[in-house]
mmCIF file of all heavy atoms in Angstrom:
data_model
loop_
_atom_site.group_PDB
_atom_site.id
_atom_site.type_symbol
_atom_site.label_atom_id
_atom_site.label_comp_id
_atom_site.label_asym_id
_atom_site.label_seq_id
_atom_site.Cartn_x
_atom_site.Cartn_y
_atom_site.Cartn_z
ATOM 1 N N ASN H 1812 64.463 79.750 162.903
ATOM 2 C CA ASN H 1812 63.687 80.769 162.211
ATOM 3 C C ASN H 1812 62.764 80.136 161.178
ATOM 4 O O ASN H 1812 62.971 79.001 160.741
ATOM 5 C CB ASN H 1812 64.616 81.766 161.508
ATOM 6 C CG ASN H 1812 65.327 82.669 162.498
ATOM 7 O OD1 ASN H 1812 65.026 82.647 163.685
ATOM 8 N ND2 ASN H 1812 66.270 83.454 162.016
ATOM 9 N N LEU H 1813 61.762 80.937 160.758
ATOM 10 C CA LEU H 1813 60.816 80.477 159.751
ATOM 11 C C LEU H 1813 61.251 80.831 158.348
ATOM 12 O O LEU H 1813 60.615 80.419 157.383
ATOM 13 C CB LEU H 1813 59.423 81.075 160.021
ATOM 14 C CG LEU H 1813 58.770 80.639 161.335
ATOM 15 C CD1 LEU H 1813 57.441 81.348 161.503
ATOM 16 C CD2 LEU H 1813 58.572 79.135 161.374
ATOM 17 N N ASP H 1814 62.310 81.612 158.190
ATOM 18 C CA ASP H 1814 62.797 81.960 156.861
ATOM 19 C C ASP H 1814 64.317 82.005 156.883
ATOM 20 O O ASP H 1814 64.952 81.765 157.897
ATOM 21 C CB ASP H 1814 62.210 83.300 156.380
ATOM 22 C CG ASP H 1814 62.489 84.437 157.358
ATOM 23 O OD1 ASP H 1814 63.403 84.295 158.187
ATOM 24 O OD2 ASP H 1814 61.792 85.460 157.293
ATOM 25 N N GLU H 1815 64.893 82.312 155.728
ATOM 26 C CA GLU H 1815 66.354 82.325 155.594
ATOM 27 C C GLU H 1815 66.923 83.695 155.949
ATOM 28 O O GLU H 1815 67.797 84.216 155.245
ATOM 29 C CB GLU H 1815 66.733 81.949 154.156
ATOM 30 C CG GLU H 1815 66.454 80.494 153.817
ATOM 31 C CD GLU H 1815 67.399 79.544 154.558
ATOM 32 O OE1 GLU H 1815 68.567 79.476 154.203
ATOM 33 O OE2 GLU H 1815 66.928 78.884 155.505
ATOM 34 N N ARG H 1816 66.442 84.262 157.033
ATOM 35 C CA ARG H 1816 66.942 85.552 157.507
ATOM 36 C C ARG H 1816 67.144 85.452 159.016
ATOM 37 O O ARG H 1816 66.433 84.732 159.701
ATOM 38 C CB ARG H 1816 65.972 86.674 157.165
ATOM 39 C CG ARG H 1816 65.496 86.644 155.725
ATOM 40 C CD ARG H 1816 64.700 87.867 155.362
ATOM 41 N NE ARG H 1816 65.571 89.001 155.167
ATOM 42 C CZ ARG H 1816 65.142 90.252 155.021
ATOM 43 N NH1 ARG H 1816 63.860 90.499 155.086
ATOM 44 N NH2 ARG H 1816 65.981 91.239 154.842
ATOM 45 N N VAL H 1817 68.129 86.192 159.501
ATOM 46 C CA VAL H 1817 68.463 86.100 160.923
ATOM 47 C C VAL H 1817 68.647 87.492 161.507
ATOM 48 O O VAL H 1817 69.019 88.442 160.814
ATOM 49 C CB VAL H 1817 69.753 85.282 161.143
ATOM 50 C CG1 VAL H 1817 69.553 83.841 160.731
ATOM 51 C CG2 VAL H 1817 70.934 85.891 160.397
ATOM 52 N N GLU H 1818 68.359 87.593 162.793
ATOM 53 C CA GLU H 1818 68.670 88.802 163.559
ATOM 54 C C GLU H 1818 70.149 88.694 163.941
ATOM 55 O O GLU H 1818 70.520 87.909 164.812
ATOM 56 C CB GLU H 1818 67.776 88.882 164.795
ATOM 57 C CG GLU H 1818 68.055 90.067 165.694
ATOM 58 C CD GLU H 1818 67.786 91.387 165.017
ATOM 59 O OE1 GLU H 1818 66.650 91.636 164.615
ATOM 60 O OE2 GLU H 1818 68.761 92.176 164.899
ATOM 61 N N PHE H 1819 71.003 89.480 163.267
ATOM 62 C CA PHE H 1819 72.441 89.270 163.391
ATOM 63 C C PHE H 1819 72.999 89.789 164.716
ATOM 64 O O PHE H 1819 74.107 89.406 165.102
ATOM 65 C CB PHE H 1819 73.186 89.929 162.215
ATOM 66 C CG PHE H 1819 74.591 89.440 162.051
ATOM 67 C CD1 PHE H 1819 74.862 88.242 161.432
ATOM 68 C CD2 PHE H 1819 75.657 90.182 162.547
ATOM 69 C CE1 PHE H 1819 76.157 87.773 161.292
ATOM 70 C CE2 PHE H 1819 76.964 89.731 162.414
ATOM 71 C CZ PHE H 1819 77.212 88.516 161.781
ATOM 72 N N ASP H 1820 72.284 90.638 165.416
ATOM 73 C CA ASP H 1820 72.801 91.162 166.683
ATOM 74 C C ASP H 1820 73.065 90.027 167.677
ATOM 75 O O ASP H 1820 74.083 90.035 168.376
ATOM 76 C CB ASP H 1820 71.814 92.173 167.287
ATOM 77 C CG ASP H 1820 71.663 93.403 166.414
ATOM 78 O OD1 ASP H 1820 72.694 93.986 166.049
ATOM 79 O OD2 ASP H 1820 70.528 93.758 166.083
ATOM 80 N N GLU H 1821 72.164 89.058 167.719
ATOM 81 C CA GLU H 1821 72.360 87.916 168.616
ATOM 82 C C GLU H 1821 73.594 87.116 168.206
ATOM 83 O O GLU H 1821 74.383 86.680 169.054
ATOM 84 C CB GLU H 1821 71.113 87.024 168.586
ATOM 85 C CG GLU H 1821 71.240 85.771 169.447
ATOM 86 C CD GLU H 1821 70.055 84.842 169.283
ATOM 87 O OE1 GLU H 1821 69.054 85.266 168.667
ATOM 88 O OE2 GLU H 1821 70.146 83.695 169.761
ATOM 89 N N ILE H 1822 73.768 86.918 166.883
ATOM 90 C CA ILE H 1822 74.942 86.192 166.402
ATOM 91 C C ILE H 1822 76.222 86.942 166.739
ATOM 92 O O ILE H 1822 77.213 86.348 167.190
ATOM 93 C CB ILE H 1822 74.819 85.970 164.876
ATOM 94 C CG1 ILE H 1822 73.646 85.034 164.582
ATOM 95 C CG2 ILE H 1822 76.116 85.415 164.301
ATOM 96 C CD1 ILE H 1822 73.368 84.847 163.112
ATOM 97 N N ALA H 1823 76.210 88.268 166.547
ATOM 98 C CA ALA H 1823 77.400 89.069 166.852
ATOM 99 C C ALA H 1823 77.770 88.962 168.328
ATOM 100 O O ALA H 1823 78.955 88.827 168.676
ATOM 101 C CB ALA H 1823 77.152 90.523 166.462
ATOM 102 N N ASP H 1824 76.782 89.012 169.193
ATOM 103 C CA ASP H 1824 77.066 88.906 170.637
ATOM 104 C C ASP H 1824 77.666 87.548 170.987
ATOM 105 O O ASP H 1824 78.585 87.458 171.817
ATOM 106 C CB ASP H 1824 75.782 89.139 171.438
ATOM 107 C CG ASP H 1824 75.289 90.577 171.344
ATOM 108 O OD1 ASP H 1824 76.109 91.459 171.007
ATOM 109 O OD2 ASP H 1824 74.095 90.815 171.596
#
Side-chain angles (χ1 to χ4, degrees):
N1812 288 352
L1813 296 177
D1814 56 19
E1815 290 290 287
R1816 312 188 76 190
V1817 295
E1818 177 64 61
F1819 196 80
D1820 295 309
E1821 178 186 349
I1822 294 175
D1824 292 339

